[in-house]
């Protein structure tokens, strides 16, 4: 809590009485007087707006030219006005008839209706059905909210376009037992709050959320006109002035308070100032709820407070203030006698000259500095305050405090002014601090640098000298590269290294570390902190040296550089930018004579970066094959064998198939060669490989695995075993068995192939020939049985046809084939034996000439006939199948069976009106379809 009695008082405003403008003859100078009875007012949009509360219902406008105008807004009186600052919209509350019947009217000042502002909306200001007096009014600048407070404690909220009835909704937001004395909207981003203050409490409503949740901020309130909303300089806080203190509130909590005593009558906020009108303590107190409505004889004090700098900017006594308005960059104080007093804020220079001189006389430099900063005094003016403050402290003997103020004058005050004061040896440490700051701000010249080094020398403090070199962030006045060279030649490697690192001379840093200090670990760590491009270039330049001395650490850095590099010292940017990476294939030469580290590097790259360059996979494969070829331990050799084979199976060698095959052949890696043959679908090479190694079982396995994809493998295998003079009967029998099952070769060709083998006797193919003959005999028998069956079926069908031609057809069906009900006339009968009610037939039949029950099957048969007709001319397909088939006779028989070689005549229904001879053709078609179904 801040007590205002301790605050300094200034006169930052000039007070004048508004006078009438000069007349045509130059007459003027009389105080401007408003009409009597004005008790409500507001300002905005270039005018002061007044309302007549004592009778008449007039609203008056006073522009800057003081040409007063008015119009009749209500029949009786105007009680409240609210002028929006960003829109030419005026909202008023008044009465058109006696009694408690307040009306809200919304006026558009830019549009006219018979010379008066256009009234766009009128509605009664009554909460529910209970008439009560309106106590306060506020409108949101976006025209979407309006709140009205009442003496009975109710608050009515209008949401939507307040200028129209159709686009807004009115509801009771708040109900209480105490009169509402103040309302204010607070907009922060997309969040809207409404502050509601009564005589006994303060609440905050959140209007951006459904159901409007609220929070009680305090259990005491204020009188009418004693609340306001601050600007962003005070974070849009809600100001409530009680008799003891002034409180500031956020939407969710109470903020600071100020102990401004006295009965508050009016509170406003203006350009960072808090304006309070309070009752003069020398007079009698007023009613708490009455606010500014006091007796005409009362004296009132108007105070203007600067809450940031804690001083009173203006204070004056007035006679019975009605309200304080802000317009045209000034404050206008309206008093009950109709006069208007204007408070014009002085310009910044005048205010500062008046107050700073007084503050300087009283040595209140801290307040002077804060005041100057709040009024945005230029840097020259601030520097003069700092100089005077420094001189004051210097004269008092506070040299440490004085040097701090002189440091704040750097850039404005001549350094020699300060240096002469501190040349005494006893004050040399203060001079050192000043010179260090001078260097930090890059304002020191060569003489200042020399003086600073002399100070370090006289103090005999080598640590200070080192501290200056290692902590100064200013731009030095000597060539850094030359200094590094000199320090290196003199053996001051640590200082040279620091300068090189500090000023980003990376090449010099690495040269000294690697060639002079031999600190390979630190050099590697330094490279890891460099930006990506520089880290890449230096690793290519010094990578072999580092790999020779610190192979493990170098390998780890290369892993990071090739995957997701970010400088190790860049903690701020870590994770904010996507890490860069280099082509890992370019760093393979760095690992010369370090095959173990190279293998670890390549394996890491393949694990974390599947899209590594092909050279990485090629080199890793070669390394694994070399290690496998030279390894003597069986267990390790087996592990290396599996690793190499796994890499081959990773699918990364499809584009370099030949290269991988050559590597496997060079190192005699048989499993790899076979795998690549398999991937390349070189099945014959796989079999030839096993034939060369006389691996008979493998030959059979290859045929079993790939014989379906390449049938000639079995023929080659049979020829291979036939040429062998060894006893291969077992393998020949296996091959013959498969040839027999798949019907891959004619028996005669098999006999001719085996005739070349002197060890193969007739017993080898005896079973094969016997089985072949048995199968052919069975096939002949099955064909004869099928022929007999077809002949019998044909005879039966012919008999049916003859019967249909020569004998009558008796229909004995007693039930409908569709509804299964008893058959009644009229009915429909088909030669297939199905009968239908005529109405069932007409409902379900798609054609008048087809049986609905047999039609699906008949259509299938017709589709098959049409398909056979379409395939009759497939000459090329027939020739191809005949050429590729091992059994050409079966192909020819299949095409004969499908009617390709026959001329097919498809008999369909003839149009109506044909002769009776067409009935026989239709009958033959029905019998044909019936025969097809029977088979």
């Amino acid at each position: 809590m801040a007590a205002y009695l301790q605050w300094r008082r200034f006169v930052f405003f000039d007070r004048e009485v508004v006078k009438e403008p000069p007349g045509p003859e130059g007459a003027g100078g009389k105080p401007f007087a408003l009409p009597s009875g004005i008790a409500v007012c507001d300002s905005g949009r270039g005018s002061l707006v007044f309302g007549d509360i004592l009778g008449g219902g007039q609203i008056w406008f006073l522009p800057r030219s003081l040409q007063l105008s008015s119009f009749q807004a209500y029949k009786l009186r105007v009680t409240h006005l609210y002028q929006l600052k960003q829109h030419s919209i005026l909202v008023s509350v008044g009465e058109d008839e006696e009694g408690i019947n307040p009306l809200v009217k919304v006026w558009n000042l830019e549009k006219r209706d018979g010379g008066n502002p256009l009234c766009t909306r009128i509605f009664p200001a009554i909460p529910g059905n209970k008439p009560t007096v309106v106590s306060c009014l506020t409108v949101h600048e976006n025209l979407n909210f309006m709140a009205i407070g009442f003496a009975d404690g109710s608050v009515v909220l209008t949401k939507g376009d307040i200028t129209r009835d159709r686009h807004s909704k009115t509801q009771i937001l708040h109900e209480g037992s105490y009169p509402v004395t103040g309302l204010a909207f607070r907009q922060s981003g997309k969040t809207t709050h409404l502050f509601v203050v009564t005589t006994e409490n303060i609440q905050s409503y959140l209007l951006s959320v459904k159901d409007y949740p609220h929070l009680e901020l305090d259990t005491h309130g204020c009188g009418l006109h004693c609340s306001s909303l601050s600007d962003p300089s005070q974070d849009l806080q809600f100001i409530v002035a009680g008799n003891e203190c002034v409180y500031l509130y956020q939407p969710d909590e109470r903020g600071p308070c100020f102990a401004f005593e006295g009965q508050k009558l009016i509170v406003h906020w203006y350009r960072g100032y808090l304006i309070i009108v309070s009752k003069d303590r020398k007079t009698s107190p007023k009613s708490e709820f009455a606010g500014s409505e006091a007796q005409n004889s009362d004296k009132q004090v108007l105070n203007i407070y600067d809450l940031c700098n804690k001083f009173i900017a203006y204070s004056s006594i007035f006679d019975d203030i009605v309200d304080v308005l802000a317009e045209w960059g000034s404050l206008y104080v309206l008093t009950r006698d109709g006069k208007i007093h204007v408070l014009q804020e002085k310009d910044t220079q005048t205010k500062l000259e008046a107050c700073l001189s007084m503050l300087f006389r009283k040595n209140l430099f801290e307040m002077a500095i804060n005041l100057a900063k709040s009024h945005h005094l230029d840097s020259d003016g601030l520097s003069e305050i700092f100089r005077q403050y420094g001189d004051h402290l210097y004269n008092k003997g506070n040299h440490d405090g004085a040097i701090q103020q002189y440091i704040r004058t750097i850039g404005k005050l001549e350094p020699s002014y300060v240096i002469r004061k501190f040349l005494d040896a006893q004050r040399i440490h203060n001079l050192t601090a000043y010179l260090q700051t001078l260097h930090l701000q890059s304002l020191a010249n060569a003489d200042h640098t020399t003086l600073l080094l002399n100070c370090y020398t006289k103090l005999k403090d080598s640590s200070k000298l080192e501290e200056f070199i290692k902590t100064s962030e200013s731009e030095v006045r000597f060539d850094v590269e030359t200094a590094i060279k000199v320090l290196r030649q003199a053996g001051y490697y640590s200082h040279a290294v620091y300068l090189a690192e500090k000023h980003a001379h990376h090449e010099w840093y690495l040269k000294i570390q690697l060639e002079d200090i031999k600190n390979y670990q630190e050099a590697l760590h330094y490279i890891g902190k460099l930006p990506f491009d520089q880290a890449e270039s230096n690793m290519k330049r010094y990578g072999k040296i580092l790999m020779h001395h610190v192979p493990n650490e170098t390998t780890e850095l290369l892993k990071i550089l090739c995957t997701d590099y970010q400088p190790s010292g860049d903690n701020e940017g870590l994770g904010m930018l996507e890490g860069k990476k280099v082509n890992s294939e370019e760093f393979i030469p760095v690992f010369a004579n370090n095959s173990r580290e190279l293998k670890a590097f390549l394996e890491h790259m393949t694990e974390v970066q599947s899209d590594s360059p092909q050279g990485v996979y090629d080199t890793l494969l070669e390394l694994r094959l070399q290690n496998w070829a030279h390894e003597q331990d069986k267990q390790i050799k087996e592990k290396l064998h599996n690793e190499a084979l796994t890499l081959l199976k990773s699918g990364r060698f499809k584009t370099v198939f030949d290269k991988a095959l050559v590597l496997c052949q060079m190192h005699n890696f048989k499993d790899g060669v076979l795998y690549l043959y398999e991937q390349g679908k070189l099945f014959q090479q796989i079999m030839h490989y096993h034939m060369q190694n006389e691996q008979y079982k493998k030959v059979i396995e290859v045929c079993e695995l790939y014989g379906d994809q390449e049938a000639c493998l079995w023929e080659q295998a049979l020829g291979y075993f036939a040429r062998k003079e060894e006893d291969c009967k077992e393998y020949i029998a296996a091959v013959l068995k498969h040839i027999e099952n798949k019907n891959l070769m004619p028996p005669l060709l098999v006999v001719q192939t085996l005739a070349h083998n002197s060890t193969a006797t007739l017993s080898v193919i005896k079973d094969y020939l016997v089985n072949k003959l048995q199968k052919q005999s069975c096939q002949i028998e099955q064909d004869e049985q099928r022929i007999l069956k077809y002949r019998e079926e044909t005879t039966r069908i012919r008999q049916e046809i003859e019967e249909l031609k020569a004998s009558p057809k008796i229909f004995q069906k007693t039930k409908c084939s569709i509804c299964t009900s008893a058959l009644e006339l009229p009915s429909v009968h088909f030669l297939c034996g199905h009968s239908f009610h005529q109405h069932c037939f007409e409902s379900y039949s798609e054609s008048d000439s087809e049986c609905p029950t047999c039609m699906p099957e008949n259509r299938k048969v017709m589709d098959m006939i049409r398909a056979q007709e379409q395939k009759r001319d497939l000459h090329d397909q027939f020739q191809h199948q005949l050429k590729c088939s091992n059994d050409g006779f079966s192909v020819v028989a299949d095409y004969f069976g499908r009617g390709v070689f026959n001329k097919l005549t498809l008999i369909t229904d003839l149009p109506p009106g044909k002769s009776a001879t067409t009935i026989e053709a239709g009958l033959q078609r029905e019998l044909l379809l019936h025969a097809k179904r029977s088979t």
Side-chain angles (χ1 to χ4, degrees):
M1 181 180 294
Y4 81 103
L5 293 177
Q6 300 176 358
W7 288 18
R8 299 287 173 181
R9 293 176 178 266
F10 300 101
V11 182
F12 282 179
F13 290 80
D14 293 324
R15 172 179 173 179
E16 294 181 0
V17 177
V18 176
K19 298 181 179 180
E20 294 181 354
E25 300 178 357
K30 294 182 180 180
F32 182 86
L34 292 171
S36 60
I38 290 177
V40 292
C41 53
D42 202 351
S43 62
R45 309 299 290 180
S47 297
L48 304 182
V49 187
F50 308 101
D52 185 354
I53 196 173
L54 298 181
Q58 297 282 329
I59 292 181
W60 303 81
F61 294 94
L62 183 65
R64 197 165 191 176
S65 61
L66 302 182
Q67 300 296 324
L68 192 64
S69 62
S70 67
F71 72 95
Q72 185 78 29
Y74 295 90
K75 295 179 180 179
L76 294 182
R77 62 184 63 87
V78 181
T79 59
H80 295 82
L81 291 173
Y82 191 94
Q83 173 65 58
L84 276 81
K85 304 301 184 288
Q86 300 177 11
H87 304 275
S88 296
I89 299 294
L90 174 67
V91 181
S92 63
V93 179
E95 297 176 0
D96 283 340
E97 57 186 16
E98 294 295 340
I100 304 176
N101 297 300
L103 291 177
V104 179
K105 296 186 179 182
V106 181
W107 309 89
N108 189 334
L109 305 182
E110 292 181 347
K111 297 181 180 180
R112 293 289 167 178
D113 182 13
N116 296 330
L118 176 63
C119 182
T120 63
R121 184 181 181 186
I122 303 176
F123 64 94
I126 299 177
N129 298 320
K130 181 174 60 177
T132 182
V133 177
V134 175
S135 59
C136 52
L137 167 71
T138 186
V139 182
H140 199 292
E141 287 294 334
N142 63 9
L143 299 179
N144 285 327
F145 292 102
M146 177 169 61
I148 304 174
F150 297 88
D152 67 348
S154 302
V155 175
V156 172
L157 176 68
T158 300
K159 183 178 181 182
D161 189 352
I162 66 166
T163 63
R164 299 182 181 180
D165 289 321
R166 292 184 302 172
H167 299 90
S168 63
K169 180 181 178 181
T170 302
Q171 66 182 84
I172 298 177
L173 178 69
H174 173 81
E175 291 183 334
S177 303
Y178 305 102
V180 179
T181 57
L183 299 168
F185 287 107
R186 182 183 188 272
Q187 187 71 38
S188 178
K190 296 183 178 180
T191 304
T192 304
H193 287 87
L194 174 63
F195 291 101
V196 178
V197 57
T198 67
T199 56
E200 297 297 331
N201 59 31
I202 303 169
Q203 298 191 25
S204 169
Y205 285 83
L206 178 58
L207 304 183
S208 304
V209 179
K210 189 178 180 181
D211 299 332
Y212 306 141
H214 68 279
L215 177 67
E216 186 175 32
L217 301 177
D218 218 331
T219 55
H220 60 79
C222 65
L224 284 173
H225 313 296
C226 292
S227 62
S228 182
L229 189 71
S230 68
D231 58 20
S233 66
Q234 281 291 332
D235 198 18
L236 298 174
Q237 297 186 88
F238 187 55
I239 303 170
V240 177
N243 290 336
E244 300 297 331
C245 297
V246 174
Y247 300 92
L248 277 67
Y249 296 91
Q250 293 284 357
D252 54 354
E253 62 180 353
R254 192 175 82 177
C257 66
F258 300 89
F260 301 148
E261 296 181 355
Q263 182 180 355
K264 313 300 185 301
L265 304 178
I266 300 174
V267 172
H268 285 294
W269 185 267
Y270 170 74
R271 292 186 177 180
Y273 293 112
L274 176 62
I275 302 170
I276 296 180
V277 177
S278 58
K279 181 177 174 58
D280 190 352
R281 286 178 290 179
K282 297 180 181 179
T283 62
S284 59
K286 301 177 184 178
S287 171
E288 177 183 7
F289 183 68
S292 62
E293 296 183 9
Q295 298 179 359
N296 294 338
S297 61
D298 287 342
K299 297 291 184 180
Q300 298 169 359
V301 180
L302 185 146
N303 289 321
I304 301 178
Y305 298 94
D306 187 330
L307 300 183
C308 293
N309 297 307
K310 293 182 173 55
F311 64 82
I312 301 175
Y314 182 78
S315 181
S316 182
I317 297 177
F318 291 84
D319 292 332
D320 201 3
I321 297 175
V322 175
D323 206 345
V324 181
L325 306 177
E327 192 65 24
W328 310 307
S330 303
L331 291 173
Y332 292 86
V333 182
L334 173 64
T335 56
R336 189 72 59 184
D337 56 5
K339 294 182 180 180
I340 301 177
H341 302 263
V342 59
L343 300 181
Q344 181 68 44
E345 188 176 6
K346 298 179 180 179
D347 61 89
T348 302
Q349 190 64 31
T350 303
K351 290 190 295 184
L352 291 178
E353 288 177 357
C355 68
L356 290 180
S357 59
M358 184 269 289
L359 294 174
F360 290 160
R361 288 195 304 269
K362 297 184 178 182
N363 296 325
L364 299 175
F365 292 99
E366 291 292 344
M367 178 176 285
I369 292 171
N370 293 333
L371 182 62
K373 287 182 177 180
S374 66
H375 286 78
H376 307 290
L377 184 63
D378 58 17
S379 57
D380 293 333
L382 282 172
S383 178
E384 179 61 22
I385 298 176
F386 294 141
R387 183 194 66 77
Q388 294 189 35
Y389 192 14
D391 291 345
H392 169 71
L393 295 176
Y394 183 84
N395 294 331
K396 289 178 62 177
N398 184 1
H399 299 125
D400 292 339
I403 203 65
Q404 294 301 319
Q405 298 305 317
Y406 287 135
I407 286 174
R408 300 170 78 177
T409 66
I410 291 177
K412 299 297 180 181
L413 183 63
E414 177 62 35
S416 59
Y417 177 86
V418 179
I419 293 172
R420 286 196 301 268
K421 290 179 176 288
F422 292 91
L423 285 177
D424 192 325
Q426 295 180 352
R427 303 167 189 166
I428 197 170
H429 64 281
N430 298 123
L431 180 59
T432 302
Y434 180 81
L435 292 172
Q436 284 179 339
T437 308
L438 202 63
H439 281 78
L440 286 174
Q441 298 187 14
S442 300
L443 297 174
N445 56 30
D447 294 334
H448 296 149
T449 303
T450 302
L451 181 59
L452 178 58
L453 294 176
N454 288 333
C455 289
Y456 287 139
T457 304
K458 289 183 179 181
L459 290 172
K460 296 181 180 180
D461 192 351
S462 59
S463 61
K464 285 287 185 180
L465 176 61
E466 185 174 349
E467 181 182 355
F468 170 72
I469 296 174
K470 293 188 176 182
T471 60
S472 175
E473 297 180 356
S474 63
E475 183 181 356
V476 294
R477 296 296 179 179
F478 52 86
D479 184 70
V480 175
E481 187 171 358
T482 302
I484 293 173
K485 290 180 181 179
V486 172
L487 290 172
R488 184 187 183 193
Q489 292 175 357
Y492 291 93
Y493 300 128
S494 60
H495 295 79
V497 163
Y498 180 80
L499 283 176
E501 182 179 8
K502 188 69 177 177
H503 299 281
H505 288 266
H506 308 308
E507 294 184 7
W508 280 108
Y509 180 92
L510 294 174
K511 280 184 179 180
I512 297 171
Q513 289 284 17
L514 296 174
E515 298 175 8
D516 300 324
I517 304 178
K518 308 292 184 182
N519 192 344
Y520 305 103
Q521 190 73 37
E522 188 62 31
L524 188 65
H525 179 68
Y526 182 80
I527 293 176
K529 296 188 296 183
L530 295 179
F532 173 77
D533 295 333
Q534 297 177 3
E536 178 187 6
S537 61
N538 282 292
M539 280 305 296
K540 290 180 179 178
R541 182 177 303 162
Y542 301 109
K544 290 185 179 180
I545 299 175
L546 294 171
M547 184 61 67
H548 178 71
H549 292 91
V550 281
N552 294 331
E553 293 81 357
T554 305
T555 303
E556 291 301 319
L557 179 58
L558 285 175
K559 290 178 181 179
I560 298 174
L561 192 63
C562 295
T563 51
D564 190 13
Y565 179 76
Q566 288 176 335
S568 58
D570 187 12
N571 293 327
E572 295 182 358
L574 191 62
M576 297 179 63
L577 296 175
E578 184 178 354
K580 297 182 178 179
K581 57 185 177 181
V582 299
N583 187 351
S584 53
E585 189 176 1
E586 297 178 0
F587 287 97
I588 292 178
V590 172
F591 292 90
N593 302 321
N594 293 85
S595 59
R596 181 173 61 86
E597 286 75 17
L598 175 59
K599 184 172 179 288
F601 171 73
L602 296 176
E603 288 177 346
H604 174 77
M605 292 306 302
T606 56
E607 290 175 1
V608 302
Q609 195 178 84
S610 59
D611 59 343
S612 295
Q614 186 60 43
V616 172
Y617 287 93
D618 295 344
T619 308
L620 180 58
L621 176 62
E622 186 174 1
L623 273 176
R624 288 185 175 179
L625 291 176
Q626 287 179 358
N627 294 338
W628 172 80
H630 294 91
E631 183 59 48
Q632 299 298 325
D633 187 276
K634 291 184 179 180
Q635 293 183 351
I636 299 177
K637 192 177 184 70
E638 181 65 23
K639 180 181 178 182
L640 295 173
H641 173 278
N642 294 335
E643 290 178 354
L645 194 58
T646 301
L647 181 60
L648 276 175
K649 294 181 178 180
S650 64
R652 296 294 307 184
F653 299 93
K654 295 180 180 179
T655 58
V656 289
F657 175 82
D658 295 338
K659 186 175 182 179
L661 185 59
V662 170
L663 287 174
C664 292
Q665 291 173 343
M666 285 175 55
H667 296 87
N668 197 23
F669 190 56
K670 297 180 181 180
D671 290 346
V673 171
L674 292 175
Y675 173 76
L676 292 173
Y677 280 158
E678 180 182 356
Q679 292 301 110
K681 298 188 182 302
L682 304 176
F683 305 131
Q684 295 190 28
Q685 282 80 348
I686 297 175
M687 191 167 70
H688 291 162
Y689 177 86
H690 293 305
M691 289 178 177
Q692 290 175 1
N693 294 296
E694 296 187 350
Q695 298 175 338
Y696 301 151
K697 290 184 178 181
K698 292 291 184 180
V699 172
I700 299 297
E701 291 178 2
V702 170
C703 292
E704 291 175 348
L705 288 174
Y706 312 115
D708 294 338
Q709 303 179 46
E710 201 165 339
C712 63
L713 292 179
W714 289 103
E715 300 177 13
Q716 294 178 11
L718 182 62
Y720 169 73
F721 290 122
R723 290 191 297 271
K724 288 293 181 181
E725 296 299 329
E726 303 175 13
D727 188 4
C728 300
K729 295 181 181 180
E730 178 184 355
Y731 305 107
I732 293 174
V735 173
L736 287 175
K737 183 177 180 181
H738 192 85
I739 291 174
E740 177 187 352
N741 294 335
K742 297 295 184 178
N743 196 21
L744 299 177
M745 295 174 63
L748 183 59
L749 183 58
V750 172
V751 174
Q752 292 176 352
T753 301
L754 293 177
H756 300 288
N757 192 327
S758 60
T759 62
T761 60
L762 185 60
S763 61
V764 175
I765 61 173
K766 176 183 177 182
D767 294 337
Y768 167 75
L769 294 175
V770 170
N771 291 336
K772 265 294 184 183
L773 293 174
Q774 288 179 350
K775 286 183 179 180
Q776 291 181 356
S777 299
C778 291
Q779 185 64 38
I780 292 171
E781 184 178 349
Q782 291 176 2
D783 292 343
E784 290 177 350
Q785 292 177 357
R786 194 175 292 111
I787 290 170
L788 180 60
K789 179 181 177 182
Y790 289 159
R791 285 176 177 172
E792 293 176 352
E793 185 68 20
T794 302
T795 303
R796 183 183 61 78
I797 292 174
R798 286 176 177 172
Q799 290 177 356
E800 289 184 5
I801 292 174
E802 290 298 328
E803 289 178 359
L804 290 174
K805 287 181 180 181
S807 304
K809 177 68 175 180
I810 300 175
F811 301 100
Q812 296 179 341
K813 284 277 188 176
T814 59
K815 292 184 179 180
C816 177
S817 297
I818 293 178
C819 65
T820 67
S821 300
L823 200 61
E824 297 177 353
L825 294 179
S827 59
V828 180
H829 304 276
F830 284 89
L831 294 177
C832 60
H834 295 108
S835 299
F836 308 93
H837 291 117
Q838 184 174 355
H839 62 85
C840 291
F841 174 76
E842 292 174 352
S843 300
Y844 291 93
S845 177
E846 297 180 6
S847 174
D848 294 341
S849 60
E850 291 188 81
C851 173
T853 304
C854 300
M855 183 174 59
E857 190 66 28
N858 293 344
R859 287 187 177 179
K860 290 182 182 180
V861 176
M862 297 299 293
D863 291 340
M864 292 171 59
I865 295 174
R866 291 189 182 95
Q868 290 179 3
E869 182 183 22
Q870 293 173 359
K871 294 180 180 180
R872 285 189 307 164
D873 298 327
L874 302 179
H875 177 73
D876 294 338
Q877 181 179 357
F878 168 72
Q879 292 291 341
H880 177 73
Q881 292 185 5
L882 186 62
K883 183 177 179 181
C884 297
S885 176
N886 295 323
D887 188 0
F889 181 78
S890 62
V891 175
V892 175
D894 179 57
Y895 273 78
F896 263 111
R898 296 194 314 202
V900 175
F901 301 106
N902 299 330
K903 182 178 180 181
L904 180 65
T905 301
L906 182 61
I907 302 174
T908 58
D909 291 333
L910 294 178
K914 293 292 182 179
S915 61
T917 56
T918 58
I919 299 177
E920 182 177 352
L923 182 60
Q924 290 179 356
R925 181 174 64 85
E926 292 289 345
L927 290 176
L928 177 61
L929 297 176
H930 176 71
K932 184 65 179 178
R933 289 196 300 271
S934 300
T935 55

